[in-house]
Amino acid sequence: MAKYFMQEMPDMRKEGETILYPRMEITGTCETDELVEASIKGSTFNRGEVRGALDLIAGAMARFMAEGRSVRIEGIGLFTPTVKLKKGKERENIEGNSPRRNAASIEIGGINFRAERTLINETNTLCNLERGSGVKKCRIPKTTAEERLEMAKRYLEENPFLTVSEYSKMTELNRTTAAKELKSWAADTESGIAIKGLGTHKVYVRE
């Protein structure tokens, strides 16, 4: 039986109200060998066949993503590669007074994953949740909201856009709180920050 707990949401707007939201308690990781063992139960496949198939799929996925394509596995989700500047390379700015970055300065920085609804629904159907005891205290930010807004503005002076992940990292807010705060900045016409894009492709820019 999986457990969830209630997590405090920081009172970012100082309204005097503490909001609680549910978070799943992750107790460990299912490694490849355990996944393979669970997959072959009741099937005609043996351990080596399933493990070999996983290795083949991983290799094929890497080749397709290296070509600049996303990979969708039906019933699992969509994998999309991202790029970043190599360590030690200066960022290029829009004014053109910085070094122009070529392919030698760029590398694959990560792979984003978006789960398919069928996987989410199946997990939900199989999950039997139980509430854990107590309430998890929120991590109090070391900076004020005004200081974080200035951090975001300074970042956008040197970069074309700001993502939720980057804002979360720079402010030490959890991702959920960071997303809510950025959204509130974008809704404030005097903040100097606007939102661009839709869905999972939303980013924040200077207004």
Side-chain angles (χ1 to χ4, degrees):
M1 181 177 289
K3 289 187 177 183
Y4 70 95
F5 58 87
M6 301 307 293
Q7 170 80 56
E8 282 188 4
M9 174 69 73
D11 184 13
M12 308 304 296
R13 291 186 173 275
K14 309 298 181 183
E15 295 174 345
E17 181 181 6
T18 300
I19 299 174
L20 302 179
Y21 66 99
R23 288 187 63 185
M24 194 163 190
E25 183 177 325
I26 303 301
T27 58
T29 300
C30 171
E31 300 291 351
T32 305
D33 288 341
E34 185 180 358
L35 181 63
V36 169
E37 290 294 334
S39 300
I40 63 177
K41 289 181 179 178
S43 78
T44 59
F45 300 104
N46 62 45
R47 186 182 301 103
E49 289 172 332
V50 174
R51 184 59 193 255
L54 287 175
D55 291 341
L56 288 173
I57 291 170
M61 288 175 65
R63 289 193 296 275
F64 281 120
M65 288 188 287
E67 295 173 357
R69 300 173 66 181
S70 292
V71 175
R72 185 188 305 279
I73 300 179
E74 187 176 346
I76 295 179
L78 183 71
F79 298 80
T80 304
T82 63
V83 295
K84 68 173 185 177
L85 281 174
K86 289 183 178 179
K87 189 175 181 179
K89 298 296 183 180
E90 182 183 346
R91 292 185 180 276
E92 184 176 335
N93 61 41
I94 195 69
E95 288 79 15
N97 55 12
S98 62
R100 184 176 175 82
R101 298 274 66 102
N102 56 28
S105 305
I106 310 296
E107 65 182 359
I108 298 296
I111 296 173
N112 291 334
F113 171 69
R114 186 169 73 242
E116 284 205 349
R117 176 52 58 181
T118 51
L119 179 62
I120 297 172
N121 290 342
E122 178 69 9
T123 303
N124 183 52
T125 299
L126 295 171
C127 187
N128 185 16
L129 283 168
E130 178 184 69
R131 180 165 176 163
S133 60
V135 172
K136 300 287 185 179
K137 298 292 184 179
C138 65
R139 184 172 59 184
I140 304 300
K142 299 177 182 178
T143 52
T144 65
E146 290 73 20
E147 288 171 335
R148 293 191 295 275
L149 176 58
E150 289 306 312
M151 290 169 66
K153 288 181 177 179
R154 287 197 300 271
Y155 181 90
L156 288 171
E157 288 175 358
E158 302 176 359
N159 301 275
F161 60 84
L162 173 64
T163 64
V164 172
S165 294
E166 194 62 43
Y167 188 67
S168 173
K169 188 186 304 181
M170 75 167 69
T171 59
E172 297 186 343
L173 298 175
N174 64 53
R175 186 179 175 86
T176 301
T177 305
K180 287 180 178 293
E181 185 161 89
L182 275 175
K183 188 175 180 180
S184 71
W185 294 140
D188 183 352
T189 56
E190 297 183 358
S191 70
I193 292 180
I195 194 169
K196 186 176 181 181
L198 297 171
T200 57
H201 300 289
K202 284 190 296 189
V203 295
Y204 295 83
V205 298
R206 283 299 297 265
E207 192 172 33

